[in-house]
C-alpha cells in the first residue's frame, strides 16, 4: 500500500524554503508517497498543532522541519504513543528527545559556518582583514549556529577581525540596508570581506556595495550560505566569491529511510547528514545556476 | 437578546463549520480532534481573555505575544541556569509581567498616550528583553515539567483533555465571572463607553486602567507558562504575532474594537473558530504555503461576513425596540476633551 | 509658519533623533555627490524611509476616518510581485499601471468591507493582511522573482538631480495627496467623518464613499511603496516585502500626532513621522550595538518621542507654539 | 437651619489658553436652599461647576464645604467629599444598562460578586421617584436623551450627601418630567441638602429657586433672593444690555402668531415606518411655521428623521412643490434643500474636534460635493457672518467647537443649516440650552426666515414657545398624529387637551 506522510513545514520565508517544499513534493511523487503538507507560518505552536492533527488522521509517518530546537517532547511522545515514526528535516532538535524520532536528515549549520570561515581564512592568508557579518534573524538557531561555526573558524587567525555584525533578517532588503550602513560606518574601503548567513542577504549586500561604487567580489570578498541560484549568477558576474550549499533535498533520504523502516523494519542511523559543499567561482557557476533554477527557489 | 446576538451567531457558525468539516473528514467526530482543538487553542485562549478585557475597556494590547515569548525564555533560564524552583519562577514571572502591564497602563493613563503605541513599545521591549536573556532556545528538564506533560484526562474515544486545556477553560471561567459579575468588570465596560464620562461619574479611571493592562500582561505570562509547560522549553521567538490572532478571536466573538461591548463567551467561540479553520486546513493538507494563507483569509472573511449578515438581518426583523440606527453600531457621544 | 508651529514636537523629535545618530556615528551628517547621486547616511534615512513614508500617506487618511489598515504590508508584497513579474516583458507605464491598479483594487476591497459590510477596520484589513501575502506568494510561487528592466530599477536606485528616486516619489505623492485632499473638500470630509460619523452623515456627507476612498488611496500608496521596494532589490520578495511595515506606518501616523480615534490629520507630519522612525532604525544600525539590543533601543526611543508629545508634558511645546 | 452656610467659594478663577472663563467668582450655598446659577451662554456656569468639583484644575480660589477647606482633584474626590453633580453633557454611559449606570462604582455586592437582582430592584425603586418605569436592564443608549438625563439626575440624587449640582438638567425634559424633578428637588432641600440649579428657563427659576447668582463673562454680577429679583431686571442683569433694549428684544419675540400664507412646499402623505412611526400626513407651506408638539417619546423626532431620510420610510410618500420626490437619505434631502438640526447635539450634531468655521460650512460643503470646495475666504465670511448674526461666543471661528459652551454649540449648528439656504428647515429642540437673549434671537430669526419664504417644521418641548411662533401645530401621541390645530385654534390649552385626550392625567405646566 502506498504511504501517507504528513510534513510539517516551517513556512515559506525564503526561496530556499520554497525549494525544499517543491523538492519534497517531487521526491514523494517519485516514490508514490502521498504527502500532506502543513505550513506553520513560522510558528512552533502551529507545527505542534499540525503534528497533533497528523496523529489524529493516522498518517504513516511524519516529517518535521522544526522551527526551533526545543519544545517537541510532549507532541513527539503523542506521535510515538500512536506508533507513528517522525523524521526531522533540515534542522535538529534538542538531544533530550533523541528517542522520540526515527532519524534526522539535516545539515550541520555550525559546520556550514565553519566551511565559510575556513574558506575566508585560506583566501586572505596572513593579510589583515576586517570582516562584516550579516546575521540571520535574531534568535533563529540557524543564525546562532552559522555564527558559531564562522567565529570558531576565524578565531585562530588574529589578522581576521569581525568589525561589525548586525541582523539582516535573512532578507534581501534588510541585507542591503544593513550593508549600506556598514559601508558608511566603516568606510567602504576598510571592509575586506562580507559574511552573510544566507545568500539572499548577500545579494542585497552586493547591490549596496555596487551602489556605493565598490566592487564586490574583487575589492570586497563575499562568502555566504545556502547556494541559491541567484548567488551563482552573481558569481558568474564576478560579484560574489563563495557560497556553502545547503541542499533542499532533505526529503529524499527521509522517504527512503521511512520506506525501509516501514517495509523491512530497518532502523536508520540517528543522523543522516547532508553535505555542506563549498562552491566558488571555480565551479562553473552558470552550470550550477542552470541546474538549480527550476527547483523552485 | 440583541446584545448576545453576535455571540449566538458565532456559536451557530462554529457548529455549522464543524459539521461541514465532519462530513469532509470523519476524524472530526472523534474526541481526539475535540481534545486537540482545546489543547491547541489553550495558550491563545488564555491570552485572548486578557485581550478581551483590554478591548472592552476601549484599549488594545499589542505586547502580549512578546510577553509570552519573554516568559518562556525567562522560565527556561531561571529553572535551568539559575536554579530557581519552577513554582517560584512562575510566581516571579507572573509578578514581573503584572508590573510590566501596570507600567503600560500607567503610561496610558498619566500621559494620555494612545494604548496602541504604548503597547507597541511594550511589544518591542518585551521581545528585546527576551533576546537579551538568550537568543537560543533553551530546553527545560525540571521534573515538574515532565510530570505535568503527562497529566491529562482521558476522554472516551482516544481523546485527551490536557492540563493546558483545563487551565484555559478555568481562565475563561474566572475571566467570565470577573468581567460579567464584579465591580471591576462593570468598570471595564464603563471605560470602553467613555473614559471621560466614567471619570465624571466618580470612578477611579487610572487605577482601573492600570489593573486592566496588568491583568492582560499577567494572563500573557500565564499563557507563557502554559506554553513552556507544553513545550518544555523557552525561546525568545515564540508567540510572534499572537496579539493579532488574539484580537481577531476577540472581534470575531462579537466584541467591538471601539470598546464597551462584548463578552468572554464570544472570545471563546472566536478562538475556537480560528482553531477550526486551522485544523480544517491541516486535515486537507494539500495546500501550499500561499494557499494556506489565502484560505485562512477567505475562511475568516466567510465567517465574519456571515456573522455580520445574520446579525444585520436579525437586527432588522427584530427592531421592535427602538435603537436609533445610526452610522455606527455603538452610541458613542463625541466627548469634549477636558 | 503656522504649519511649522503645529509640527514643533515632531520637528523637535526628528532633530533629537538625528542628533543621537550623529553621536553614534561621527560621519552621519556627511553628504557628498557620487555617480550623480547624493550619498551619505542622512540620505539613507530618507531613501530607506521612503516606503514607510508612502505607506503613512495612505495610512494617515485611513486613521483620520477612525479606521486602520493592517493590509498595507501585504499589498506592498502583491504590487511588488506584479511589478517584478511584468517588468521584463512590458514597458514601465504598463507595469506601473498594473501594480498600482492591483493596489487600488486591494484598497477598494478593504473599503467595501469596512463601509458596506460594516466590518471593523482592524479585522477587515486583517483578512487581506493574511490572504494578501498568500496572493503575493502565489504570484511568485514563493521565490524571489528578479527582473532586469532598468526602467523599473531606476525607481529604486536612480536619482533625479541627485535626489534618490524613492525620495522623489515620496515628495510627488505628498504633493499629489495634499492637492487632492487639501485642495478639495475631501480633507474636511475625512476629518468630519472620523470626528463624528453620525453627525457627518446627517450633515449630508457621503461617509461611505469617503471611507472607501481613503482605503483605496491607502492601497494605492502601499502599491507604490511595494514597487519602490521591489525596484530597490531588483526583485520581488513576496515572503518578506513589507513584512510588519504596517506597524511602522501606524507608528509614523501616531508620531505625527494623529489620534487613532479619527479626526484631525496632517500629511506632511505623517511623512516626517516615517522619517523619524527610519532615522531611529538607521541610527541603531550605525551604532554598532549588538542586534539583540535593537528592539530594546527602539522601544526606548518610541517612548521618548511619544512622551515628548504627550499633552501632559506639553509645557515645552506650548512655549514653542506661542507666537 | 436653612440659613446656615453649606458651601463657600471665594475667588474661583480659571483661564483656558489665555481666555479668562472665570474671574474670581464668589458663591455661597446654604443648607436646604435651591440656588439658581444663571448667565448667558458661555458666561462660565459649567466651568464654574467643573472647577468647583475638580474636573477642571482651578487657577486660584478656595472652597469650603461645611467649614472645611476642600480641593477635590477629580469628580470622584468631589463625590466622596459630598458633592454630587450632573454635568451638562449627559454624564452617563450609553453602552451600560440603566441599572449599571445608576450604580456604577457602588454596585451592591456579595463575596465580591455584583448582586444583579438587588441592583435592578433598587434601580426600579429609585426611578419610580422620577415617574420612570423603564426596563432597567436595557442599555441606556436605547432611551432618548430626556430619559438619559433623568437617569443621570437620579444617580446624582441617590449619591448626594450634602450638596447637589445640576447643570441644565431640564433642558431636555418636558413639563411633566420637570414637575416630577421639582418635586424631588423640594424633598431633598427639605432634608437640608443644598442644590445648585443651572437653567435657561426663567419660569423654572421663579418656580423653584430661593436665591439667584448671576454670572457674566466669567464674573460674579450679583446674588439675590429670588423673591426680590423681578424678572425683567434679572434678564437685564444677565444680558448686561440697557433695560429698554432688553425689553424690546424680549417683546419682539412674543409677537402673536400670524397666518401662514405660502403655497405648500412639503407634503407628506401617509409617511411611516413599521414599528417606528404610524403613518402621518403633514404639509408645510413656504413662509409657514409648523410646530410639532407632544410628550417625550410621542414620535416627533421620528417624524423629523423620516422626513429627512435619516431613517428610511417604508410607506407613504413625500411631495415637494407637488411633485413626488424620493428621499433615500440625508444627501437626497440636502439636494432638495432640506435642513435638519437634530436634537442630540453631541452625538448627531457637532464634530467636536473641528473648528466652529468648519462645523458651520459642513452641510453647505457636503451639498457642493468634495470637488467644489469653498474657498477659505468664502468660509471665513460665512463663519463670521453667522457668528455675528447669532452672537456666537467667543467669536473665534478657529476654535474647536467642542470647547464652546453648550448653547453656543447649538447656535453654530443652526448656522450650519442656515448657511445652506434651505427651503425647508426641520429644527428639533432648537432652543434647548440657549439663554434668554439668544432664545429671543432665534425666535426672531425663525420669523425672519419665514418672511423670506422658508418653510419651517419645529419640534419643541416648550409649548409656550411653539404657540408663540407656529402658524399650525401638529400634536403627536404614541408615535402617531392625533390632532392638527391651525390659525386661532393654536393655543396652549388646545394643545394640552389634544395631548391629554384619552391619555393619562394631563401634565400640569409650571406656573409662570
Ligand atoms: N476646555 C476648554 N477649553 C477652552 N475654552 C473653554 C473650555 N471649556 C470652556 N471654555 C470656554 O469657557 C467659556 C465658559 O464656558 P461654559 O461652558 O462654562 O459656559 P456656560 O455658562 O455653561 O454656557 P451654556 O449656558 O451655553 O452652557 C466659554 O467661552 C467656553 O468657550
Ligand atoms: N418617560 C418615559 N418612560 C419610558 N420610556 C420613555 C419615556 N420617554 C420616552 N421613552 C422612550 O422613548 C421613545 C421615543 O422617544 P423620542 O425621543 O424618539 O420621541 P420624541 O417624540 O422625539 O420625544 P422628544 O423629542 O421629546 O425626545 C419611546 O418610544 C419610549 O420607548
Ligand atoms: Mg454650560
Ligand atoms: Mg425627540
Amino acid at each position: 500500500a502506498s504511504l501517507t506522510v504528513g510534513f510539517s513545514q516551517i513556512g515559506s520565508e525564503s526561496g530556499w524554503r520554497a525549494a525544499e517544499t517543491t523538492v519534497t513534493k517531487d521526491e514523494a511523487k517519485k516514490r508514490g508517497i502521498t504527502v500532506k503538507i502543513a505550513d506553520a507560518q513560522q510558528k512552533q505552536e502551529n507545527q505542534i498543532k499540525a503534528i497533533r492533527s497528523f496523529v489524529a488522521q493516522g498518517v504513516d509517518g511524519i516529517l518535521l522541519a522544526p522551527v526551533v530546537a526545543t519544545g517537541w517532547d510532549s507532541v513527539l511522545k503523542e506521535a510515538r504513543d500512536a506508533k507513528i515514526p517522525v523524521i526531522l528535516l533540515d534542522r535538529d532538535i534538542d538531544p533530550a528527545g533523541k528517542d522520540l524520532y526515527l532519524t534526522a536528515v539535516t545539515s550541520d549549520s555550525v559546520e556550514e559556518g565553519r566551511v565559510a570561515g575556513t574558506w575566508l581564512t585560506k583566501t586572505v592568508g596572513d593579510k589583515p582583514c576586517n570582516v562584516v557579518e550579516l546575521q540571520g534573524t535574531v534568535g533563529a538557531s540557524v543564525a546562532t549556529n552559522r555564527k558559531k561555526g564562522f567565529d570558531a573558524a576565524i578565531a585562530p587567525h588574529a589578522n581576521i577581525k569581525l568589525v561589525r555584525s548586525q541582523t539582516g533578517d535573512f532578507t534581501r532588503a534588510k541585507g542591503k540596508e544593513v550593508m549600506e550602513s556598514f559601508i558608511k560606518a566603516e568606510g567602504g574601503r576598510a571592509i575586506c570581506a562580507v559574511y552573510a548567513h544566507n545568500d539572499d542577504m548577500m545579494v542585497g549586500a552586493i547591490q549596496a556595495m555596487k551602489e556605493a561604487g565598490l566592487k564586490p567580489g574583487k575589492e570586497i570578498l563575499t562568502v555566504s550560505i545556502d547556494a541559491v541560484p541567484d548567488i551563482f549568477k552573481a558569481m558568474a558576474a564576478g560579484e560574489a566569491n563563495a557560497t556553502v550549499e545547503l541542499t533542499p533535498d532533505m526529503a529524499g533520504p527521509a522517504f527512503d529511510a521511512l520506506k525501509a523502516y516501514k517495509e523491512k523494519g530497518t532502523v536508520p542511523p540517528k543522523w543522516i547528514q547532508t553535505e555542506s559543499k563549498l562552491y566558488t567561482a571555480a565551479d562553473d557557476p552558470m552550470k550550477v545556476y542552470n541546474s538549480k533554477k527550476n527547483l523552485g527557489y | 437578546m440583541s446584545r448576545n446576538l453576535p455571540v449566538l451567531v458565532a456559536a451557530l457558525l462554529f457548529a455549522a463549520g464543524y459539521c461541514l468539516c465532519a462530513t469532509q473528514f470523519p476524524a472530526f467526530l472523534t474526541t481526539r480532534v475535540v481534545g486537540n482543538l482545546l489543547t491547541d487553542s489553550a495558550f491563545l485562549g488564555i491570552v485572548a481573555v486578557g485581550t478581551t478585557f483590554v478591548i472592552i475597556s476601549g484599549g488594545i494590547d499589542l505586547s502580549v505575544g512578546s510577553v509570552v515569548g519573554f516568559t518562556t525564555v525567562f522560565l527556561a533560564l531561571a529553572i535551568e541556569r539559575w536554579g530557581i524552583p519552577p513554582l517560584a519562577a512562575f510566581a516571579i514571572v507572573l509578578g514581573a509581567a503584572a508590573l510590566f502591564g501596570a507600567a503600560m497602563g500607567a503610561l496610558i493613563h498619566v500621559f494620555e498616550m494612545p494604548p496602541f503605541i504604548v503597547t507597541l513599545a511594550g511589544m518591542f521591549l518585551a521581545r528585546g528583553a527576551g533576546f537579551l536573556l538568550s537568543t537560543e532556545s533553551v530546553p527545560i528538564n525540571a521534573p515538574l515539567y515532565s510530570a505535568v506533560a503527562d497529566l491529562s484526562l482521558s476522554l472516551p474515544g482516544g481523546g485527551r483533555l490536557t492540563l493546558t486545556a483545563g487551565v484555559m477553560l478555568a481562565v475563561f471561567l474566572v475571566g467570565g465571572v470577573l468581567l460579567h459579575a464584579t465591580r471591576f468588570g462593570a468598570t471595564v465596560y464603563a471605560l470602553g463607553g467613555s473614559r471621560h464620562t466614567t471619570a465624571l461619574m466618580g470612578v477611579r479611571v487610572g487605577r482601573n486602567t492600570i489593573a486592566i493592562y496588568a491583568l492582560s500582561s499577567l494572563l500573557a505570562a500565564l499563557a507563557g507558562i502554559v506554553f513552556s509547560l507544553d513545550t518544555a522549553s523557552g525561546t525568545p521567538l515564540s508567540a510572534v504575532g499572537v496579539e493579532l490572532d488574539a484580537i481577531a478571536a476577540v472581534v470575531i466573538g462579537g466584541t467591538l474594537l471601539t470598546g464597551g461591548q462584548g463578552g468572554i463567551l464570544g472570545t471563546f467561540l472566536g478562538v475556537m473558530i480560528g482553531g477550526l479553520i486551522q485544523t480544517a486546513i491541516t486535515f486537507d493538507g494539500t495546500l501550499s504555503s500561499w494557499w494556506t494563507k489565502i484560505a485562512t483569509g477567505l475562511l475568516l472573511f466567510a465567517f465574519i461576513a456571515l456573522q455580520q449578515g445574520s446579525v444585520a438581518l436579525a437586527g432588522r426583523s427584530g427592531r421592535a425596540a427602538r435603537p436609533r440606527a445610526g452610522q455606527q453600531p455603538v452610541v458613542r457621544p463625541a466627548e469634549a476633551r477636558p | 509658519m503656522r504649519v511649522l508651529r503645529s509640527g514643533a514636537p515632531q520637528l523637535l523629535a526628528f532633530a533629537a533623533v538625528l542628533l543621537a545618530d550623529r553621536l553614534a556615528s561621527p560621519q552621519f551628517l556627511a553628504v557628498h555627490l557620487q555617480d550623480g547621486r547624493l550619498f551619505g547616511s542622512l540620505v539613507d534615512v530618507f531613501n530607506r524611509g521612503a516606503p514607510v513614508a508612502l505607506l503613512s500617506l495612505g495610512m494617515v487618511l485611513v486613521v483620520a476616518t477612525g479606521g486602520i489598515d493592517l493590509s498595507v504590508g501585504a499589498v506592498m508584497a502583491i504590487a511588488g510581485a506584479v511589478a517584478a513579474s511584468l517588468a521584463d516583458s512590458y514597458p514601465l507605464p504598463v507595469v506601473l499601471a498594473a501594480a498600482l491598479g492591483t493596489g487600488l483594487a486591494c484598497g477598494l476591497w478593504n473599503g467595501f468591507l469596512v463601509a458596506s459590510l460594516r466590518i471593523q477596520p482592524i479585522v477587515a484589513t486583517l483578512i487581506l493582511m493574511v490572504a494578501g501575502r498568500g496572493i503575493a506568494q502565489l504570484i511568485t510561487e514563493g521565490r524571489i522573482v528578479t527582473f532586469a528592466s532598468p526602467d523599473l530599477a531606476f525607481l529604486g536606485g536612480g536619482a533625479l538631480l541627485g535626489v534618490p528616486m524613492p525620495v522623489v516619489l515620496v515628495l510627488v505623492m505628498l504633493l499629489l495627496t495634499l492637492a487632492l485632499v487639501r485642495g478639495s473638500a475631501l480633507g474636511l470630509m475625512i476629518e468630519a467623518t472620523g470626528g463624528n460619523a453620525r453627525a457627518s452623515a446627517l450633515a449630508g456627507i457621503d461617509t461611505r464613499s469617503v471611507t472607501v476612498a481613503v482605503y483605496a488611496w491607502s492601497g494605492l500608496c502601499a502599491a507604490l511603496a511595494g514597487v519602490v521596494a521591489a525596484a530597490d532589490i531588483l526583485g520581488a520578495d513576496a515572503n518578506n516585502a513589507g513584512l510588519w511595515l504596517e506597524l511602522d506606518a501606524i507608528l509614523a501616523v501616531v508620531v505625527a500626532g494623529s489620534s487613532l480615534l479619527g479626526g484631525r490629520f496632517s500629511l506632511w507630519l505623517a511623512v516626517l513621522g516615517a522619517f523619524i522612525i527610519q532615522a531611529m532604525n538607521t541610527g541603531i544600525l550605525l551604532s554598532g550595538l549588538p542586534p539583540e539590543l535593537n528592539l530594546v533601543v527602539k522601544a526606548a526611543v518610541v517612548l521618548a518621542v511619544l512622551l515628548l508629545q504627550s499633552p501632559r508634558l506639553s509645557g515645552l511645546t506650548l512655549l514653542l507654539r506661542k507666537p | 437651619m436653612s440659613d446656615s452656610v453649606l458651601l463657600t467659594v471665594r475667588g474661583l478663577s480659571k483661564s483656558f489658553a489665555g481666555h479668562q472663563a472665570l474671574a474670581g467668582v464668589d458663591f455661597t450655598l446654604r443648607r436646604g436652599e435651591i440656588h439658581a446659577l444663571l448667565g448667558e451662554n458661555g458666561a462660565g456656569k459649567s466651568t464654574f461647576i467643573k472647577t468647583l468639583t475638580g474636573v477642571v484644575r482651578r487657577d486660584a480660589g478656595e472652597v469650603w464645604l461645611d467649614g472645611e477647606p476642600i480641593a477635590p482633584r477629580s469628580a470622584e474626590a468631589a463625590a466622596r467629599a459630598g458633592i454630587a453633580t450632573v454635568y451638562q453633557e449627559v454624564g452617563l454611559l450609553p453602552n451600560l444598562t440603566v441599572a449599571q449606570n445608576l450604580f456604577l462604582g457602588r454596585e451592591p455586592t456579595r463575596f465580591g460578586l455584583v448582586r444583579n437582582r438587588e441592583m435592578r430592584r433598587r434601580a426600579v425603586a429609585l426611578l419610580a421617584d422620577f415617574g420612570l418605569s423603564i426596563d432597567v436592564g436595557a442599555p441606556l443608549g436605547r432611551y432618548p436623551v430626556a430619559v438619559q438625563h433623568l437617569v443621570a439626575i437620579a444617580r446624582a440624587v441617590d449619591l448626594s450627601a450634602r450638596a447637589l449640582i445640576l447643570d441644565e438638567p431640564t433642558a431636555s425634559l418636558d413639563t411633566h418630567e420637570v414637575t416630577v424633578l421639582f418635586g424631588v428637588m423640594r424633598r431633598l432641600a427639605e432634608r437640608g441638602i443644598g442644590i445648585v440649579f443651572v437653567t435657561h428657563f426663567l419660569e423654572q427659576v421663579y418656580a423653584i429657586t430661593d436665591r439667584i447668582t448671576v454670572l457674566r463673562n466669567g464674573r460674579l454680577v450679583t446674588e439675590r433672593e429670588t423673591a426680590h429679583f423681578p424678572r425683567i431686571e434679572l434678564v437685564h442683569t444677565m444680558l448686561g444690555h440697557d433695560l429698554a433694549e432688553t425689553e424690546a428684544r424680549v417683546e419682539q419675540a412674543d409677537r402673536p402668531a400670524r397666518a401662514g400664507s405660502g403655497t405648500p412646499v412639503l407634503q407628506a402623505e401617509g409617511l411611516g415606518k413599521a414599528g417606528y412611526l404610524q403613518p402621518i400626513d403633514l404639509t408645510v407651506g413656504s413662509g409657514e411655521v409648523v410646530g410639532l408638539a407632544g410628550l417625550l417619546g410621542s414620535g416627533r423626532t421620528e417624524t423629523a428623521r423620516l422626513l429627512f431620510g435619516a431613517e428610511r420610510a417604508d410607506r407613504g410618500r413625500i411631495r415637494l412643490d407637488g411633485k413626488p420626490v424620493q428621499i433615500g437619505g440625508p444627501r437626497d434631502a440636502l439636494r432638495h434643500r432640506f435642513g435638519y438640526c437634530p436634537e442630540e447635539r453631541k452625538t448627531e450634531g457637532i464634530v467636536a474636534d473641528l473648528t466652529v468655521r468648519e462645523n458651520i460650512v459642513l452641510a453647505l460643503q457636503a451639498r457642493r460635493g468634495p470637488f467644489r470646495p469653498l474657498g477659505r475666504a468664502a468660509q471665513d465670511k460665512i463663519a463670521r457672518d453667522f457668528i455675528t448674526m447669532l452672537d456666537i461666543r467667543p467669536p473665534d471661528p478657529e476654535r474647536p467647537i467642542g470647547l464652546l459652551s453648550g448653547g453656543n454649540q447649538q447656535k453654530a449648528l443652526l448656522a450650519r443649516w442656515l448657511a445652506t439656504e434651505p427651503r425647508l428647515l426641520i429644527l428639533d429642540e432648537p432652543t434647548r440650552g440657549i439663554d434668554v437673549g439668544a432664545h429671543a434671537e432665534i425666535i426672531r430669526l425663525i420669523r425672519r426666515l419665514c418672511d423670506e419664504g422658508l418653510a419651517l417644521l419645529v419640534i419643541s418641548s416648550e409649548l409656550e414657545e411653539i404657540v408663540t411662533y407656529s402658524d399650525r401645530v401638529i400634536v403627536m401621541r404614541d408615535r402617531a398624529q392625533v390632532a392638527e390645530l391651525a390659525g386661532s385654534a393654536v393655543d396652549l390649552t388646545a394643545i394640552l387637551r389634544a395631548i391629554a385626550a384619552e391619555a393619562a392625567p394631563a401634565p400640569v405646566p409650571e406656573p409662570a
Side-chain angles (χ1 to χ4, degrees), chain D residues 144-208:
Chain D
V145 218
V147 176
Q148 298 188 22
H149 232 126
L150 279 176
V151 174
I153 295 167
R155 177 183 162 94
V157 165
D158 196 43
L159 273 172
S160 76
R162 295 187 270 186
L164 174 65
I165 304 179
L166 304 171
D167 194 351
E168 297 198 32
T170 54
S172 55
L173 304 188
D174 68 14
T175 34
H176 177 62
E177 265 102 358
V178 171
T179 317
V180 173
L181 175 63
F182 282 3
V184 175
M185 282 165 68
R186 285 203 189 90
R187 254 181 289 142
L188 290 174
E190 274 159 27
R191 292 215 312 252
I193 291 174
I195 300 175
V196 179
F197 177 52
V198 180
T199 184
H200 290 293
F201 298 101
L202 298 188
E203 296 80 14
Q204 296 177 357
V205 172
Y206 286 100
I208 186 140

Side-chain angles (χ1 to χ4, degrees), chain D residues 40-42 44-47 49 88-89 167-168 198 200 405-407 433:
Chain D
E40 287 179 282
N41 292 133
K45 304 179 294 292
S46 300
T47 305
I49 290 166
Q88 186 172 9
E89 56 271 37
D167 194 351
E168 297 198 32
V198 180
H200 290 293
S405 77

Side-chain angles (χ1 to χ4, degrees), chain A residues 13-43:
Chain A
E13 74 280 8
S14 65
W16 184 88
R17 187 65 61 191
E20 187 190 33
T21 310
T22 318
V23 172
T24 303
K25 281 187 200 156
D26 294 347
E27 295 292 322
K29 201 182 266 166
K30 258 190 236 166
R31 293 169 175 80
I33 293 174
T34 316
V35 60
K36 291 192 160 218
I37 299 183
D39 180 291
Q41 323 275 343
Q42 271 78 37
K43 290 186 191 162

Side-chain angles (χ1 to χ4, degrees), chain B residues 144-244:
Chain B
L144 175 81
Y145 272 68
S146 30
V148 163
D150 300 328
L151 271 185
S152 66
L153 210 68
S154 286
L155 302 174
R160 301 184 313 150
L161 187 68
T162 55
L163 180 77
T164 44
V167 172
M168 171 187 74
L169 293 177
V171 167
F172 267 105
L173 213 68
V174 174
V177 170
L178 191 63
L179 182 62
H180 298 294
T182 65
R183 275 190 192 172
F184 174 66
T187 311
V188 171
Y189 281 92
L191 285 172
S194 160
R195 295 176 68 77
H196 180 58
T197 304
T198 307
L200 284 187
M201 287 174 78
V203 173
R204 297 187 187 195
V205 172
R207 185 186 286 195
N208 283 292
T209 306
I210 290 172
I212 289 166
Y213 285 89
L215 177 71
S216 173
S217 288
L218 183 84
L219 285 175
L222 182 62
I225 293 174
V226 164
F227 193 79
S228 103
L229 283 171
D230 229 13
T231 59
S233 78
T235 49
L237 272 178
S238 49
V240 172
V242 159
E243 49 282 343
L244 286 181

